[in-house]
Amino acid sequence: MNTPIQLNGLWQLKDETGTYDLPFELPGDGVSALYKNNKIEDPYFGQNEYDIRWICEHDWIAKRVVNLTSTDFDLILSEVDTITEICVNGQLVLSTKNAFRTYRQNISEALKIGDNEFEIRFKSVVKYANDQQAKQPYFVPHMAEMCPIENGNMVRKPQCDFGWDWNIALAPFGIYGDMHLVPTAALQLGDLSVEQIHENEQVQLKISLPVKNFQDTRPAPTLTIAGKNIEATYDPTHQTLMAEVIIDSPDLWWPSGQGEQTLYDLDILIGDHKLHRKIGLCDIKLISEPDDIGRSFGFEVNGRPVFAKGANWIPADALAGRIDSDNVRDLLQSTVDANMNMIRIWGGGRYEPDWFYDLCDELGLMVWHDLMFSCNLYSATDEFLFQIEGEVAEAVSRIDYHACIAVWCGDNELIGALGWFDESKKDRDTYLVAYDRLNRVIEAQVKRMAPNANWWPSSPSPGPMSFGDAWHDDSSGDMHFWSVWHEGKDFDHYRDVSPRFCSEFGFQSYPSMNIIRTFANEEDFNIAAPVMESHQKNTGGNARIAETMFRYFRFPNNFENFVYLSQVQQGLAIKTAVTHWRSVRPTCMGALVWQLNDTWPVCSWSSLDYGGGWKLLHHMEKHFFAPIFISAVPKENHIELALINDNPDTVPTEINVFALSMSGITRELTTFKSTAEALSSNSVCEIARSDIQDDEVLVYEWTDKNRERVRDHWAPRPYKNYKLPNPNITFISQKTDKGYDISMTADAPAFFVAMEADIAGRFSDNAFLLLGGETKTISFNPVSDDKGPEFTLRDLRNATL
Ligand code: BMA
């Protein structure tokens, strides 16, 4: 009687004209269903995107018959994308228009015993968006490049569904979350809230759980955590169960790299109902205070200042029906494997499902959480703001109890966007007031649902009630630094700023060859081929990549080497920024690279390819985000070596600095022991520029916490100015239990040595410097062992000869 009836499974899908009629697996999206049933070509291949745009201009109808033996049910649907009318036995029972809400509706009156016809009409989101725009009291602009399917800002659905400067534009439809019927009279559990008070080696937890249809009879509901069993009390006014518990000498939850990710099992028993959650005990404070420079910005975790190292998260796939938790786990695992401890869930995507935050808790990834508004201007009508109230309240109350949540941030770049449109430039008053109304609603809801959470009004922002240029002013708050990519400045320009916290900066590269092969034929292996251009959504992006190569490198000798070099230069760009900003800790307390992942195979700023493969940047990130690291910071007459330690304890290290000539001669400059002070960056040595000859680069090695030797190099001149020797690298690969070991030897210095495989898998290292006479062994773990890999080795000299 109390069991829910699942509505997931097979439905039948038709378009409004009746031309298409196909099975539709829900949860899922319509575009994927059309592809799976051979009604359209692969959406991600070639230029198919443009041939299937019509899908979002049509209405679609999904139907299914459900047999019932009783009729007293509520319908529950979440992640309904987006504009739908739901009919049961021909009667309209629910209309939806927000993909971020969960809908619950009593539908008893429409139900009957026996067969019931369920019908979901997915209305064209394009028509809806245009209608909404027409109804606005004044035009509400959107970014043309980010929104080729127009007026996406009118619809509460991932903004990148309408296209973005890295996304395919398909504005898909579907249902991706829960879909079931529950008996109306059954117990309903709301969102768990866990307030944590950390004091004197104790954590006090104030736990509350809204309940509906609760029978306040014996035995009383109980709650178990950390070996304590407590009776919960029921507050009938608020229909909420409450309990308090004190945990002595708690095992705290730490971000990856800072300690353990202990999670306590919380079990709540209410009659026959069980609720289980994992709770991390953690106190994250956002510290942003006026200081000599402007206004600081950084996170203190359990009282310890933690430098945030990470990247921006966008949805795991452009077609939500393709997202699965195994792939997402792999992406997030790669994030911590690259020594990152934070992701920023960017405001043009979606609030993620519960399991996503469970993964972040488990892996130790702090989450900077934008609310879902990005780069456009938004309506401030009563109707829109009312919708936002519900959306924000629901998202925050569902997600906030997770240990990983570091900050709620109002939006992405909405303040900047005020200056991007003619309308808002001419009439800033109207649009600024509208922005403030929206932002106040968001803030009020965040504070209502999570009064103790960290709040930041917008990203980037110099701070509350400040609407300054957070793109170029590095003195206050968080910064998005785009001058190198979007303004074409040199990589060195990253060193002209010392952001307090850089929450976005990026440089594009091509996806790896095994990804390019999934969407392009060999005849399109050309950077100006229309197929390659249509997999580049940032206007002028391919030209920027090519033009940058001219500045730093000799031009690559074929398409595959172009792809390789694009990834090398992306890595160098980001390395320049991160090594400098880590070296100025604590002025700067965070660097979040734009962007971690891709939603489809595309040229972009990501460090992980679509599907999760590591681009060279990701390997380089693992290296330059390492907790013990030496940054080379070039000054006018010398190069400063800064020893950085993100660990909470001091680490002894041995440092060896030498000059390396292109003929392979090494000239020692200095060797010394040092101690890396905890949670700091300190200059440990200066090398005069005059100590490095024209055909030399500076190489520095150090021992890390495990006494392992790590190496890096810095080239005073662009690589194109060096006469790189032919390293004649030879390699042999050997099958092992887990995959392959590949040993390589060079007979002269080889820069950015990179191994590639024609199948998916992960290398243990890549893009490194190999000295002449040296042998290095790396491993390769293929995703599947169906076919043995074919390896291709690249290095800078042979790619640009
Ligand atoms: C930032 C982001 C995204 C965008 C990226 C690259 O501003 O917030 O909107 O994709 O730049 O242009």
Side-chain angles (χ1 to χ4, degrees):
M1 160 68 188
N2 274 338
T3 354
I5 292 174
Q6 295 301 331
L7 297 177
N8 55 5
L10 219 50
W11 292 60
Q12 197 65 22
L13 182 66
K14 287 188 184 174
D15 77 322
E16 59 190 11
T17 65
T19 317
Y20 292 87
D21 190 349
L22 55 142
F24 188 17
E25 183 84 32
L26 285 174
D29 69 86
V31 176
S32 297
L34 283 157
Y35 173 52
K36 198 170 153 201
N37 288 284
N38 301 317
K39 305 287 184 194
I40 56 169
E41 301 287 324
D42 177 357
Y44 295 170
F45 191 84
Q47 295 179 284
N48 291 344
E49 170 186 2
Y50 306 107
D51 298 334
I52 57 171
R53 279 261 175 97
W54 61 267
I55 296 169
C56 65
E57 288 158 14
H58 285 216
D59 288 359
W60 293 84
I61 301 141
K63 281 191 185 177
R64 161 173 189 176
V65 172
V66 180
N67 190 277
L68 296 174
T69 51
S70 59
T71 59
D72 218 1
F73 285 104
D74 285 3
L75 169 67
I76 296 187
L77 294 174
S78 65
E79 296 182 70
V80 184
D81 190 7
T82 296
I83 311 302
T84 72
E85 283 170 4
I86 296 161
C87 297
V88 175
N89 299 323
Q91 190 178 325
L92 179 68
V93 294
L94 177 67
S95 304
T96 72
K97 52 183 173 184
N98 187 325
F100 304 132
R101 297 297 311 264
T102 292
Y103 291 90
R104 180 173 187 131
Q105 179 70 36
N106 181 276
I107 57 166
S108 308
E109 292 206 341
L111 293 173
K112 55 184 191 214
I113 308 258
D115 281 351
N116 291 267
E117 190 183 60
F118 279 69
E119 184 180 292
I120 307 169
R121 289 168 183 264
F122 295 94
K123 314 283 277 182
S124 162
V125 73
V126 176
K127 287 183 203 150
Y128 174 83
N130 295 343
D131 287 352
Q132 288 303 112
Q133 181 66 270
K135 284 187 199 156
Q136 296 302 308
Y138 50 85
F139 182 68
V140 185
H142 55 266
M143 275 275 273
E145 189 180 25
M146 308 302 199
C147 203
I149 299 177
E150 296 197 326
N151 299 319
N153 54 341
M154 292 290 119
V155 192
R156 296 313 293 153
K157 146 183 188 63
Q159 298 292 276
C160 64
D161 280 0
F162 298 87
W164 213 261
D165 56 4
W166 37 260
N167 206 17
I168 187 169
L170 294 175
F173 69 92
I175 297 183
Y176 319 125
D178 293 334
M179 40 193 317
H180 48 244
L181 301 176
V182 288
T184 306
L187 177 73
Q188 283 179 38
L189 304 183
D191 293 317
L192 178 76
S193 149
V194 182
E195 187 190 338
Q196 302 189 8
I197 300 153
H198 290 240
E199 248 169 19
N200 311 326
E201 310 277 302
Q202 284 185 333
V203 178
Q204 183 188 5
L205 298 179
K206 294 186 178 178
I207 297 169
S208 61
L209 181 69
V211 284
K212 277 200 186 137
N213 300 332
F214 173 70
Q215 310 295 329
D216 193 6
T217 49
R218 301 275 112 184
T222 57
L223 183 150
T224 316
I225 188 166
K228 305 202 175 193
N229 198 288
I230 304 130
E231 265 193 19
T233 51
Y234 179 62
D235 167 0
T237 321
H238 299 100
Q239 298 188 60
T240 299
L241 290 171
M242 292 185 308
E244 288 191 17
V245 56
I246 290 179
I247 301 179
D248 297 312
S249 315
D251 285 333
L252 298 178
W253 180 95
W254 291 94
S256 179
Q258 294 293 326
E260 297 294 311
Q261 286 77 54
T262 309
L263 295 171
Y264 285 83
D265 288 303
L266 168 68
D267 290 293
I268 303 180
L269 197 63
I270 312 164
D272 300 343
H273 288 261
K274 283 184 194 146
L275 181 84
H276 175 253
R277 294 283 187 273
K278 288 194 171 291
I279 306 293
L281 304 181
C282 177
D283 177 23
I284 306 185
K285 287 199 170 67
L286 166 58
I287 310 287
S288 177
E289 283 160 359
D291 62 11
D292 292 350
I293 306 169
R295 187 189 182 102
S296 68
F297 191 107
F299 294 94
E300 223 176 71
V301 185
N302 303 324
R304 181 189 302 166
V306 171
F307 193 102
K309 299 181 285 192
N312 282 266
W313 171 265
I314 60 173
D317 205 296
L319 294 170
R322 296 186 180 206
I323 298 175
D324 83 72
S325 57
D326 286 346
N327 290 347
V328 171
R329 172 183 280 279
D330 181 59
L331 293 168
L332 297 176
Q333 182 68 54
S334 287
T335 312
V336 291
D337 288 349
N339 288 312
M340 298 184 186
N341 57 21
M342 180 179 267
I343 53 167
R344 168 170 175 248
I345 299 183
W346 163 80
R350 54 163 42 83
Y351 308 97
E352 296 290 344
D354 297 335
W355 51 259
F356 184 98
Y357 305 98
D358 287 339
L359 283 170
C360 293
D361 282 346
E362 181 193 321
L363 295 167
L365 272 174
M366 293 185 283
V367 172
W368 167 312
H369 213 311
D370 284 357
L371 282 302
M372 293 301 131
F373 305 88
S374 184
C375 293
N376 297 316
L377 301 185
Y378 289 88
S379 171
T381 59
D382 288 347
E383 194 203 337
F384 191 79
L385 295 180
F386 181 67
Q387 214 189 122
I388 298 313
E389 257 181 28
E391 171 193 317
V392 173
E394 185 183 322
V396 173
S397 71
R398 173 172 68 90
I399 299 165
D400 190 67
Y401 81 87
H402 287 272
C404 61
I405 299 300
V407 59
W408 290 100
C409 168
D411 61 71
N412 174 72
E413 299 186 351
L414 261 53
I415 299 172
L418 289 165
W420 297 343
F421 307 101
D422 285 346
E423 293 86 352
S424 51
K425 279 194 270 192
K426 277 191 204 127
D427 181 10
R428 191 173 166 99
D429 288 357
T430 298
Y431 291 92
L432 182 62
V433 170
Y435 168 73
D436 187 53
R437 286 187 181 185
L438 172 72
N439 196 249
R440 292 298 286 177
V441 165
I442 297 170
E443 177 177 0
Q445 293 310 312
V446 171
K447 291 186 172 166
R448 186 167 75 87
M449 304 318 292
N452 300 308
N454 296 310
W455 159 256
W456 193 245
S458 178
S459 185
S461 166
M465 287 315 287
S466 179
F467 301 93
D469 177 5
W471 271 264
H472 299 92
D473 171 8
D474 60 355
S475 68
S476 297
D478 77 315
M479 183 177 201
H480 290 188
F481 189 66
W482 280 104
S483 301
V484 172
W485 175 263
H486 284 304
E487 294 166 25
K489 298 257 168 63
D490 282 339
F491 293 175
D492 284 338
H493 188 51
Y494 282 122
R495 297 199 189 91
D496 295 339
V497 291
S498 298
R500 314 311 304 270
F501 190 107
C502 198
S503 35
E504 271 189 24
F505 59 105
F507 201 90
Q508 276 205 1
S509 69
Y510 276 60
S512 304
M513 276 315 299
N514 57 343
I515 296 299
I516 292 179
R517 287 195 186 93
T518 66
F519 69 81
N521 295 320
E522 215 146 304
E523 72 220 35
D524 297 316
F525 288 4
N526 183 300
I527 60 164
V531 166
M532 295 309 299
E533 287 188 339
S534 65
H535 286 248
Q536 164 61 270
K537 299 299 188 186
N538 184 212
T539 314
N542 287 351
R544 163 99 352 109
I545 292 173
E547 179 266 335
T548 306
M549 281 181 193
F550 281 107
R551 284 192 238 172
Y552 299 107
F553 303 101
R554 300 178 190 205
F555 208 68
N557 45 24
N558 60 34
F559 178 73
E560 299 199 354
N561 282 327
F562 181 92
V563 168
Y564 154 80
L565 195 59
S566 78
Q567 294 195 5
V568 169
Q569 77 174 3
Q570 176 190 32
L572 272 180
I574 301 308
K575 180 182 171 187
T576 309
V578 171
T579 52
H580 171 58
W581 297 341
R582 287 190 71 190
S583 82
V584 297
R585 173 186 180 141
T587 297
C588 178
M589 281 306 287
L592 307 181
V593 179
W594 183 268
Q595 70 207 61
L596 179 73
N597 53 318
D598 274 335
T599 51
W600 72 307
V602 66
C603 295
S604 83
W605 299 266
S606 75
S607 60
L608 295 173
D609 275 314
Y610 177 64
W614 288 33
K615 287 178 169 179
L616 295 184
L617 168 60
H618 209 77
H619 285 284
M620 289 159 112
E621 283 172 339
K622 178 180 178 183
H623 174 69
F624 60 66
F625 275 138
I628 300 280
F629 189 75
I630 290 193
S631 277
V633 185
K635 307 277 172 178
E636 203 180 333
N637 296 316
H638 67 270
I639 295 100
E640 181 183 296
L641 295 185
L643 176 58
I644 297 156
N645 181 5
D646 288 337
N647 294 296
D649 38 19
T650 56
V651 176
T653 178
E654 283 162 29
I655 299 170
N656 172 28
V657 186
F658 56 91
L660 169 72
S661 79
M662 291 307 114
S663 53
I665 296 168
T666 55
R667 220 162 36 77
E668 185 173 300
L669 296 173
T670 175
T671 296
F672 60 101
K673 290 188 175 167
S674 185
T675 304
E677 299 300 334
L679 307 170
S680 69
S681 161
N682 291 297
S683 168
V684 285
C685 140
E686 289 181 2
I687 305 291
R689 277 187 185 262
S690 54
D691 274 352
I692 312 169
Q693 312 295 316
D694 270 2
D695 78 328
E696 288 177 333
V697 297
L698 184 69
V699 184
Y700 35 103
E701 297 177 333
W702 64 95
T703 50
D704 68 11
K705 212 177 169 181
N706 309 320
R707 315 291 306 148
E708 270 167 35
R709 277 200 101 63
V710 188
R711 175 192 291 157
D712 202 356
H713 83 275
W714 180 76
R717 299 189 304 144
Y719 290 95
K720 67 182 178 185
N721 290 359
Y722 290 91
K723 212 166 161 235
L724 301 176
N726 187 355
N728 294 312
I729 309 174
T730 52
F731 70 90
I732 43 167
S733 71
Q734 241 182 343
K735 185 113 185 55
T736 63
D737 290 353
K738 287 191 187 149
Y740 299 83
D741 274 351
I742 310 146
S743 294
M744 52 190 98
T745 314
D747 61 18
F751 293 87
F752 305 107
V753 176
M755 195 56 96
E756 261 169 48
D758 62 341
I759 58 169
R762 202 201 275 186
F763 289 98
S764 59
D765 198 0
N766 241 337
F768 43 81
L769 167 64
L770 192 60
L771 299 186
E774 202 173 48
T775 300
K776 180 167 170 107
T777 304
I778 60 171
S779 62
F780 176 69
N781 290 343
V783 170
S784 105
D785 225 357
D786 296 350
K787 165 189 171 305
E790 217 169 276
F791 294 116
T792 308
L793 186 77
R794 301 187 196 276
D795 70 88
L796 184 57
R797 188 265 184 187
N798 285 301
T800 57
L801 186 64

